């Protein structure tokens, strides 16, 4: 957090000196025109700080695991794809960077690398899971799980990218979601017999490092933003959430924990489908946060209310995770172990 807090302000000064600013889409709400030229690519500070935090953690009794290293490299890889996209935008002074095919290719390389590395180098469970590897525990096999992992990473990165349209919106929601994985990782570490996630503590450290990195960045990204995270940050946050859910066997739970990102994505899908099939739009503008802006909500009102919704989604997700621990006897196992010890 400290590295991100001070690193971001240095990055702001550097980007302003180099005159690297965010171009604004022509079809954005009129109120966004004043944001043109705001420094972007702030995701560099988030990822750099989180990576440093993860590296330093090993100096204090931590232990690196193959799963943890792969997840961290996936975050860095997705950030690199976003960085290229952001750079092309600012160089052309137009809000179009990598075309869809090139961006998808970059994300495919990252997600395929994650899937292959996890299935070949770790003991990750290849099941479709909600709160643990055996619930519902549908065996996908190595190939099926790899395809599922690729789809989940691509979906998550795009969902966070769609949400990143207001000052601090995606960052705030990202903090809530990564905090949930800190709790999930620590819980799985304390109850290894029930969850079989060998790298749970390492994964919790990565989630905590991302929370710190995003918090430090959000200090400068909150409205009115002095810097945007850009695709560099959005793709990193999205890929990290997907990778953590896959590594902790909570893939389906991610849809609830990241409910805000899901809602924003669904709004875009509904808008496109409605216009394609019926020639009518459901919302004034999508993603959904723009709809409320156009309806007259101040930007800060939209942000805070969407943060509240995101926090509620995380609370429900953690509640379901804990409820399953009670229903499945995880607590009984832990109590028995403590008594025998």
């Amino acid at each position: 957090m400290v590295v991100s807090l001070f690193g971001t302000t240095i990055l702001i000064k550097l980007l302003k000196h180099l005159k690297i600013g965010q171009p604004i889409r022509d079809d954005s709400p009129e109120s966004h025109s004043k944001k043109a030229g705001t420094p972007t690519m702030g995701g560099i500070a988030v990822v750099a700080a989180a990576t440093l935090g993860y590296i330093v953690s090993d100096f204090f009794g931590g232990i690196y695991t193959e799963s943890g290293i792969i997840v961290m490299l996936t975050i860095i890889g997705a950030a690199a794809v976003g960085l290229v996209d952001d750079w092309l935008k600012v160089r052309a002074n137009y809000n179009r960077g990598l075309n869809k095919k090139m961006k998808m290719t970059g994300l495919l390389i990252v997600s395929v690398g994650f899937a292959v590395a996890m299935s070949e180098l770790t003991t990750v469970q290849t099941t479709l899971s909600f709160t643990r590897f055996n619930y519902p525990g549908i065996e996908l096999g190595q190939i099926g799980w790899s395809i599922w992992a690729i789809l989940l990473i691509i979906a998550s990165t795009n969902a966070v990218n769609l949400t990143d349209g207001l000052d601090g919106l995606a960052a705030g929601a990202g903090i809530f979601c990564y905090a949930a994985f800190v709790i999930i990782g620590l819980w799985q570490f304390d109850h290894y017999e029930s969850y079989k996630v060998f790298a749970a503590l390492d994964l919790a450290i990565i989630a905590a490092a991302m929370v710190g990195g995003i918090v430090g960045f959000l200090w400068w990204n909150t409205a009115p933003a002095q810097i945007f995270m850009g695709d560099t940050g959005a793709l990193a946050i999205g890929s990290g959430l997907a990778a953590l859910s896959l590594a902790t066997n909570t893939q389906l739970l991610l849809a609830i924990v990241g409910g805000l990102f899901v809602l924003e994505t669904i709004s875009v899908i509904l808008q496109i489908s409605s216009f394609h099939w019926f020639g009518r739009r459901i919302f004034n503008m999508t993603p959904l946060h723009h709809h409320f802006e156009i309806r007259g909500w101040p930007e800060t009102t939209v942000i805070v209310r969407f943060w509240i919704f995101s926090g509620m989604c995380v609370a429900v997700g953690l509640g379901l995770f804990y409820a399953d621990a009670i229903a499945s006897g995880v607590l009984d196992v832990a109590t028995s172990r403590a008594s025998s010890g």
Side-chain angles (χ1 to χ4, degrees):
M1 185 189 70
V2 172
V3 171
S4 179
L5 183 64
F6 291 101
T8 302
T9 186
I10 294 172
L11 186 61
I12 292 172
K13 293 177 182 178
L14 176 62
L15 293 172
K16 285 184 175 180
H17 176 72
L18 297 175
K19 298 181 179 180
I20 295 177
Q22 175 72 40
I24 303 299
R25 288 167 42 189
D26 295 334
D27 58 348
S28 294
E30 292 182 8
S31 59
H32 287 215
S33 59
K34 62 184 179 182
K35 299 182 180 183
T38 301
T40 186
M41 299 189 286
I44 294 173
V46 174
V47 177
T51 302
L52 181 61
Y54 176 60
I55 293 173
V56 171
S57 71
D58 193 59
F59 301 161
F60 298 90
I63 180 170
Y64 298 141
T65 63
E66 289 85 352
S67 295
I69 293 172
I70 293 168
V71 170
M72 200 71 244
L73 289 176
T74 300
I75 293 173
I76 295 171
V81 175
L83 182 61
V84 173
D85 187 53
D86 287 335
W87 174 251
L88 291 176
K89 289 176 184 176
V90 297
R91 189 181 69 173
N93 195 30
Y94 186 64
N95 198 48
R96 294 284 174 84
L98 291 170
N99 59 45
K100 292 181 180 179
K101 183 177 180 180
M102 291 301 295
K103 183 182 287 188
M104 186 63 68
T105 300
L107 290 176
L108 274 173
I109 292 173
V110 173
S111 56
V112 168
F114 169 85
V116 172
M118 287 293 289
S119 59
E120 293 292 338
L121 303 177
T122 75
T123 57
V124 68
Q125 301 285 342
T126 56
T127 57
L128 183 66
S129 51
F130 182 55
T131 52
R132 47 191 161 84
F133 72 95
N134 54 357
Y135 179 60
I138 301 173
E139 180 58 50
L140 301 176
Q142 185 173 332
I143 296 177
W145 185 88
S146 296
I147 294 173
W148 167 235
I150 293 167
L151 293 175
L152 190 61
I153 291 174
I154 291 175
S156 183
T157 51
N158 280 282
V160 176
N161 204 17
L162 287 172
T163 307
D164 182 33
L166 297 180
D167 297 352
L169 177 57
I175 291 170
F176 284 127
C177 294
Y178 276 105
F181 279 105
V182 174
I183 296 171
I184 289 171
L186 289 173
W187 180 267
Q188 291 181 339
F189 173 70
D190 285 336
H191 304 88
Y192 174 78
E193 294 88 347
S194 299
Y195 294 95
K196 306 296 183 185
V197 181
F198 173 75
L201 182 59
D202 202 23
L203 297 172
I205 290 171
I206 291 175
M210 286 297 289
V211 169
I214 301 172
V215 167
F217 169 78
L218 183 58
W219 182 272
W220 307 103
N221 180 236
T222 190
Q226 298 182 51
I227 188 171
F228 298 141
M229 69 167 64
D231 281 24
T232 308
L235 300 188
I237 291 173
S239 65
L241 290 174
L244 285 170
S245 72
L246 288 158
T248 58
N249 302 313
T250 55
Q251 308 123 32
L252 298 179
L253 187 66
L254 178 61
I256 298 174
V257 170
L260 175 63
F261 302 129
V262 174
L263 180 65
E264 293 270 36
T265 303
I266 290 175
S267 73
V268 174
I269 294 173
L270 290 175
Q271 185 86 322
I272 294 173
S273 299
S274 177
F275 187 77
H276 177 75
W277 292 106
F278 306 107
R280 300 182 62 181
R281 292 182 173 85
I282 300 175
F283 306 103
N284 295 109
M285 181 181 289
T286 55
L288 189 60
H289 53 261
H290 289 323
H291 168 77
F292 290 104
E293 272 193 293
I294 292 177
R295 287 180 63 88
W297 289 18
E299 181 176 354
T300 51
T301 300
V302 178
I303 294 167
V304 173
R305 287 178 178 174
F306 274 44
W307 278 352
I308 292 171
F309 177 78
S310 179
M312 291 171 63
C313 289
V314 168
V316 171
L318 288 175
L320 290 172
F321 181 81
Y322 185 68
D324 174 67
I326 296 174
S328 62
V330 171
L331 295 182
D332 294 335
V333 173
T335 302
S336 176
R337 182 183 62 180
S339 299
S340 62

